[in-house]
Amino acid sequence: MLVDNSSANASEQPYRESEARFREIFENAGVAVWEQDFSGVCDLLDQLRSEGVEDLRAHLKAHPNRLDEAIAQVRIVDVNPFTVELFEATEKDELLRSLSNVFLPETAPIFLEELMALWQGQRRFGSEAVVQTLRGGALGCGLHRHL
């Protein structure tokens, strides 16, 4: 039996080219670029809804450990080389371990606002935040996410 896959392969070509262009930009951008997975955070928010939480801000104020839990649920998938250098990591894996490694106490309120955006169904979030390098230096940064 002979099956012609040429049309399937041809339809995948633009996707592969687009992915290659994205990777090139990601790897060579002179700005910090993080690829993150918020599915664990969304699961936590769904759990809170199922527990009857209606006012997320009040709930997290009363239970600050839940905010820490949400931060821990963010999975860092990838960072570009500029991010590794900027955050003074010796290797990419240092940054991939946990977002909490770069958060400062003053970063938590910004993350809370991001959670509020998710809770309210918003698809974009932008803010300014202060984070720290892995060697303890402070960095001011702009956060812009498509949620």
Side-chain angles (χ1 to χ4, degrees):
M1 176 178 221
L2 182 60
V3 177
D4 182 6
N5 286 337
S6 60
S7 64
N9 289 337
S11 67
E12 290 179 14
Q13 185 64 25
Y15 172 77
R16 284 193 293 271
E17 290 171 0
S18 177
E19 177 66 19
R21 282 191 304 274
F22 167 78
R23 276 285 135 203
E24 179 72 20
I25 293 167
F26 181 86
E27 292 297 322
N28 295 307
V31 296
V33 181
W34 300 69
E35 183 180 349
Q36 299 173 338
D37 177 355
F38 269 66
S39 59
V41 174
C42 292
D43 291 345
L44 177 62
L45 294 178
D46 288 344
Q47 177 186 346
L48 292 174
R49 282 187 202 280
S50 71
E51 292 171 4
V53 172
E54 293 180 8
D55 185 341
L56 180 64
R57 188 180 306 280
H59 178 79
L60 293 176
K61 186 175 180 181
H63 304 92
N65 60 319
R66 298 306 294 262
L67 183 60
D68 294 336
E69 185 180 343
I71 292 168
Q73 291 299 316
V74 177
R75 189 171 71 82
I76 303 169
V77 177
D78 201 1
V79 297
N80 67 346
F82 186 83
T83 306
V84 174
E85 180 183 332
L86 183 66
F87 280 83
E88 300 178 329
T90 56
E91 59 184 355
K92 184 188 290 194
D93 285 345
E94 281 186 287
L95 286 172
L96 298 181
R97 288 187 194 118
S98 175
L99 197 58
S100 61
N101 291 337
V102 299
F103 270 28
L104 291 167
E106 53 268 31
T107 312
I110 303 302
F111 188 75
L112 172 59
E113 294 308 315
E114 189 168 9
L115 289 180
M116 292 303 302
L118 276 170
W119 185 262
Q120 296 164 356
Q122 297 175 17
R123 303 313 315 157
R124 293 183 184 190
F125 177 79
S127 184
E128 298 291 321
V130 176
V131 293
Q132 67 181 348
T133 70
L134 296 181
R135 306 293 171 247
L139 289 173
C141 65
L143 301 174
H144 303 280
R145 299 190 206 273
H146 293 277
L147 305 172

